[in-house]
Amino acid sequence: MSAKTFDMIVIGAGPGGYVAAIRGAQLGLSVAVVEREHMGGICLNWGCIPTKALLRSSEVFHLMHRAKEFGLKAEGIGYDLDAVVKRSRGVAKQLNSGIGHLLKKNKVTAIMGEATLAGKGKVTVKTASGTEELTGKNIVLATGAGARELPGLEADGDLVWTYKHALTPKHMPKKLLVIGSGAIGIEFASFYNTLGADTTVVEVMDRILPVEDAEISAFAKKSFVKQGMKIMEKTMVKQLDRGKGKVTAHIEANGKVEKVAFDTVISAVGIVGNVENLGLEAVGVKVDRTHVVTDEYCRTGVDGIFAIGDIAGAPWLAHKASHEGVMVAELIAGGHPHAVKPESIAGCTYCHPQIASVGLTEAKAKEAGFDIKVGRFPFIGNGKAIALGEPEGMVKTIFDAKTGELLGAHMVGAEVTEMIQGYVVGRRLGANEEDLMNTVFPHPTLSEMMHESVLDAYDRVIHI
Ligand SMILES: Cc1cc2nc3c(=O)[nH]c(=O)nc-3n(C[C@H](O)[C@H](O)[C@H](O)COP(=O)(O)OP(=O)(O)OC[C@H]3O[C@@H](n4cnc5c(N)ncnc54)[C@H](O)[C@@H]3O)c2cc1C
């Protein structure tokens, strides 16, 4: 069988891989993308998109309960869990089929099958109908990541769930334990808690959402507790005893172990890169724990092999994967793209209230030796927030006192995931405090708080 030859072979069609393939084809490269399961990867099928569809249902449910506040009547409010899940799966399916169309439109050869590196420039693909050999000068590894499983806390799909089970529940948990308070754990905790599950979140670090600014974590915690969630920090789940319809969790805090019964556990303790069975050793690609080692241009050190997205390490975010995909395609096509800077990539958590941030936290800025100026603005001081009935939240900005550089921005509250991009653009353009203060923000918008926070850092705040 003769091998098909391409300029660029992409393994994995998640937001890293399919975007790299499309950009490569736009630049005139002949491109093949190999996908073993589903176009769009985790992001479209089991991650970003279906979680946001579920969270939208819980958000509407929450708002329906507040109908009276808005002068409206809503009676007999309830939900149909199967219909909530069906909508979420439908949204994922709609977008998934769109990827096939985009690849076709861009003349990318899409192959459904499992790919393995078979030597320099060689890829073997196991498809439903046999084996295909591909050759290419450039290979882009975009195989993503899966859920991390801790010994004893492994998912079984019945009592203990990973994100895949949590996205397709057959029943509503009555008493739910979420292990891990990163974005994934907190989003599921928020969804299930809003729909009525008695929810406990256990976090081993000293605060929930540990990568966020400490003030934002504290704000979010207060809000979640007000909504009825139990939050246990500096706490560890040591063991899960599985019984009939019940799991007893051994929860350790301050050296003491407490046994608590739950009917459902969601394990959200991180992810591991899909590096297994890819043939990485055969071609000399280096792996550190479960991630491929790369430089800032996603080069693996082996000529013609790149790694992008989740398999290449943190931050594990779809937009980072896509941006790296574009960068690598441009590099392969002979361009001179900018390296992707992790510190300029925003992180968003779509819980209620939402959380969004970019750049350094206050603690990290101090640790790095910056003399800083900090601005804060509360949602309660913003007209649009009051009109929306969303007075809970804050915007925090951190500047280098010497240069006025925006070092970090951190927000909690309604729609902050839509607003953070304003600061990201500012950082990308090298905006300083003057540029941000001289920018006119439309009124009434929540974004005015972004302006006020900057003004506050320089003692010029107007509305508080
Ligand atoms: C519950 C959840 C919620 C999330 N929410 C967000 C969010 O709101 N925002 C955000 O930015 N990120 C979110 N993420 C993270 C986001 O999904 C990932 O960062 C993103 O999908 C990574 O993209 P990727 O292209 O690197 O990998 P993936 O999306 O994982 O895609 C990799 C693809 O490679 C395929 N593959 C693997 N091995 C092979 C092989 N040998 N041959 C062929 N194909 C192969 C896989 O089937 C998969 O389709 C979430 C993740 C989860 C789990």
Side-chain angles (χ1 to χ4, degrees):
M1 189 196 357
S2 65
K4 292 182 192 156
T5 301
F6 297 89
D7 296 324
M8 174 175 162
I9 301 168
V10 185
I11 305 181
Y18 83 76
V19 170
I22 290 174
R23 185 67 190 129
Q26 282 175 349
L27 292 166
L29 303 174
S30 62
V31 184
V33 61
V34 186
E35 170 55 51
R36 69 178 175 193
E37 198 181 346
H38 36 34
M39 291 293 167
I42 292 296
C43 167
L44 292 199
N45 298 282
W46 295 105
C48 322
I49 300 295
T51 48
K52 268 70 263 176
L54 289 188
L55 283 156
R56 176 72 173 149
S57 289
S58 62
E59 185 186 5
V60 174
F61 183 71
H62 166 77
L63 284 172
M64 284 165 80
H65 279 96
R66 292 178 55 196
K68 212 171 155 201
E69 264 180 60
F70 297 91
L72 306 172
K73 281 186 189 161
E75 279 152 21
I77 304 162
Y79 59 82
D80 171 348
L81 188 62
D82 290 344
V84 168
V85 173
K86 197 170 161 207
R87 176 177 179 274
S88 165
R89 298 319 302 157
V91 170
K93 191 160 184 283
Q94 181 183 341
L95 292 166
N96 158 294
S97 46
I99 302 299
H101 170 73
L102 287 176
L103 292 172
K104 203 167 162 195
K105 186 183 131 200
N106 284 283
K107 301 193 172 47
V108 173
T109 303
I111 303 168
M112 287 310 290
E114 173 119 23
T116 323
L117 297 174
K120 198 169 165 12
K122 285 189 192 152
V123 174
T124 301
V125 186
K126 262 195 224 146
T127 67
S129 55
T131 304
E132 282 193 37
E133 304 292 339
L134 311 178
T135 58
K137 241 164 82 191
N138 299 284
I139 296 170
V140 181
L141 307 171
T143 56
R148 179 186 298 281
E149 301 232 71
L150 296 180
L153 312 185
E154 294 92 348
D156 53 42
D158 177 23
L159 298 169
V160 184
W161 298 351
T162 63
Y163 56 83
K164 284 200 179 176
H165 310 114
L167 275 162
T168 50
K170 306 272 182 302
H171 65 273
M172 177 54 59
K174 283 195 179 64
K175 201 157 180 247
L176 171 69
L177 168 64
V178 178
I179 311 176
S181 76
I184 295 175
I186 285 295
E187 286 187 3
F188 282 121
S190 188
F191 169 73
Y192 282 107
N193 189 64
T194 304
L195 289 191
D198 174 0
T199 305
T200 300
V201 177
V202 167
E203 170 56 55
V204 70
M205 305 293 279
D206 61 353
R207 59 196 170 84
I208 57 161
L209 294 156
V211 300
E212 300 296 342
D213 188 274
E215 220 173 325
I216 300 294
S217 291
F219 195 109
K221 177 182 173 182
K222 214 167 147 192
S223 175
F224 297 150
V225 169
K226 211 165 80 190
Q227 294 170 48
M229 242 186 247
K230 286 179 203 67
I231 305 279
M232 303 174 82
E233 296 161 329
K234 278 204 217 161
T235 302
M236 203 172 186
V237 178
K238 303 287 281 186
Q239 189 180 323
L240 294 175
D241 296 338
R242 299 161 208 234
K244 209 162 178 270
K246 174 177 109 159
V247 189
T248 304
H250 297 225
I251 302 174
E252 186 186 87
N254 300 319
K256 280 194 198 131
V257 177
E258 187 190 354
K259 291 185 193 173
V260 189
F262 298 90
D263 60 74
T264 310
V265 177
I266 296 175
S267 171
V269 292
I271 58 162
V272 289
N274 291 327
V275 291
E276 301 293 329
N277 308 320
L278 254 184
L280 298 178
E281 314 73 24
V283 289
V285 169
K286 277 201 203 102
V287 172
D288 177 16
R289 278 159 293 176
T290 70
H291 292 99
V292 169
V293 180
T294 57
D295 67 7
E296 55 176 353
Y297 287 99
C298 297
R299 294 177 292 216
T300 61
V302 177
D303 204 24
I305 303 186
F306 303 81
I308 60 171
D310 280 5
I311 193 187
W316 297 284
L317 295 166
H319 40 293
K320 176 248 187 192
S322 297
H323 210 84
E324 288 182 342
V326 168
M327 182 191 70
V328 161
E330 291 184 354
L331 211 57
I332 290 172
H336 302 281
H338 293 280
V340 180
K341 294 201 172 104
E343 66 276 14
S344 287
I345 297 172
C348 297
T349 306
Y350 300 75
C351 45
H352 178 76
Q354 296 183 356
I355 288 149
S357 61
V358 65
L360 298 178
T361 61
E362 184 174 345
K364 284 260 154 59
K366 283 181 181 158
E367 228 175 88
F370 286 103
D371 180 13
I372 56 171
K373 278 189 180 291
V374 179
R376 292 177 185 83
F377 195 83
F379 270 52
I380 191 81
N382 174 266
K384 179 76 181 290
I386 305 296
L388 290 178
E390 298 288 352
E392 188 185 85
M394 72 176 286
V395 177
K396 175 173 176 179
T397 42
I398 299 158
F399 291 88
D400 179 345
K402 282 200 194 86
T403 64
E405 182 192 349
L406 177 66
L407 297 172
H410 307 273
M411 311 197 223
V412 52
E415 300 307 335
V416 295
T417 57
E418 293 294 337
M419 293 201 286
I420 193 71
Q421 192 58 11
Y423 286 136
V424 176
V425 172
R427 275 172 63 83
R428 179 74 188 90
L429 299 179
N432 63 14
E433 89 288 8
E434 282 271 324
D435 299 315
L436 293 168
M437 283 195 269
N438 288 329
T439 302
V440 183
F441 286 73
H443 174 79
T445 61
L446 298 173
S447 70
E448 287 173 284
M449 291 183 282
M450 296 168 67
H451 193 217
E452 293 268 24
S453 175
V454 176
L455 293 174
D456 184 56
Y458 290 86
D459 299 323
R460 289 177 47 179
V461 69
I462 304 287
H463 289 98
I464 44 167

